[in-house]
Amino acid sequence: MEWRDEGIVLAARPHGETSVILEMFTRTHGRHLGVVHGGVSRKKSPMLQPGNQLDAVWRARLESHMGGWTVELKRSRAAGILSDPLRLAALTSACSMASFALPEREAMEDFQTRTEDLCDAIVDGKGWITDYVYWEMALLEVTGFRLDLSACAVSGGANDLAYVSPRTGRAVSRSGAGEWASKLLKLPDILIGGAPSIEGAVAALEVTGFFLENKLAPSLGNRPVPPARQRLLAALKSEV
């Protein structure tokens, strides 16, 4: 078995004395793992940092095997933002969340492209905070937990939306909420087209975080949401 693809490094874990298990989010083969022999070397290790873009060949005797990678660096993203802790936290969080949530070996070409675009925006430093918020919304959708914020779940109208149902993930208007308002999540304006701001992004990530922790994580065997995401949220709060 052999194929060639391009993708984002999500993680690299030590394997034996000199090798690593490299996890990539590839364009046409989805989230995929394989061994990189000599991956801990000074030559290869810098290539295998989360967020970097690689051209990769995967080989295995059988499709079901772990297989091995031969890789070439296409774009180094992590190295360009080492001096910016906030953007580095965002890049690390995106890679960690993709590793945590996405099924293995399932092609997701549209979401993979969106993830590459997010990583590029983080490195370029333009509009990435809002992009990250909507990327988490898309992550919930591709994993089966779409938030429907287009209309009120009670009335069907699209006016005065103010809450999100923690049970269904649907928007609720002020009038539709009634006496149940205290039991609902507040709907940040940024999620329904409001002006972007760090405060709005923090509020939005607290909403998506609720569904990540209470809906997605239980579906994955109650594995904890990666700490990298909490570090990003803390870093954003420190900027408010």
Side-chain angles (χ1 to χ4, degrees):
M1 299 295 299
E2 178 177 324
W3 47 259
R4 188 178 196 129
D5 207 341
E6 184 176 327
I8 308 161
V9 174
L10 300 183
R13 299 183 289 276
H15 180 66
E17 294 185 1
T18 61
S19 300
V20 301
I21 295 176
L22 175 66
E23 182 178 359
M24 291 181 61
F25 188 16
T26 64
R27 289 180 174 175
T28 58
H29 294 84
R31 185 173 70 87
H32 215 287
L33 282 71
V35 175
V36 178
H37 296 290
V40 300
S41 68
R42 284 185 294 177
K43 178 181 179 180
K44 292 185 178 180
S45 181
M47 290 195 297
L48 308 182
Q49 300 304 305
N52 282 355
Q53 190 82 8
L54 302 181
D55 183 75
V57 175
W58 181 85
R59 297 183 181 91
R61 191 169 65 85
L62 296 174
E63 186 176 1
S64 59
H65 288 180
M66 169 77 74
W69 294 111
T70 302
V71 299
E72 294 180 5
L73 183 65
K74 295 280 290 186
R75 182 179 185 187
S76 177
R77 294 187 177 97
I81 55 174
L82 288 175
S83 61
D84 189 327
L86 181 58
R87 285 191 289 157
L88 186 60
L91 186 65
T92 304
S93 179
C95 293
S96 297
M97 290 304 300
S99 174
F100 168 75
L102 298 179
E104 191 175 350
R105 301 190 179 194
E106 182 176 323
M108 295 182 167
E109 295 186 41
D110 290 344
F111 186 68
Q112 200 280 342
T113 298
R114 184 168 192 157
T115 304
E116 286 190 7
D117 289 345
L118 171 65
C119 291
D120 287 339
I122 291 170
V123 174
D124 295 341
K126 298 177 182 178
W128 67 264
I129 295 178
T130 302
D131 289 348
Y132 185 93
V133 168
Y134 279 95
W135 179 85
E136 279 204 350
M137 291 274 287
L139 180 66
L140 284 167
E141 181 171 355
V142 298
T143 53
F145 298 97
R146 176 176 177 266
L147 304 187
D148 183 357
L149 308 180
S150 59
C152 176
V154 178
S155 67
N159 295 323
D160 201 25
L161 301 178
Y163 303 100
V164 181
S165 166
R167 185 176 65 85
T168 66
R170 296 188 63 187
V172 181
S173 66
R174 294 182 200 280
S175 59
E179 62 184 24
W180 297 99
S182 63
K183 299 182 182 297
L184 303 176
L185 305 173
K186 290 185 178 180
L187 174 58
D189 288 342
I190 193 173
L191 291 182
I192 49 175
S197 67
I198 294 181
E199 294 92 335
V202 168
L205 291 178
E206 288 177 341
V207 170
T208 55
F210 175 88
F211 291 96
L212 290 169
E213 293 174 5
N214 294 280
K215 299 292 185 180
L216 179 58
S219 77
L220 299 174
N222 284 313
R223 290 186 290 128
V225 173
R229 185 186 185 276
Q230 186 57 40
R231 289 195 292 270
L232 170 61
L233 190 56
L236 286 168
K237 287 180 177 178
S238 71
E239 297 287 323
V240 174

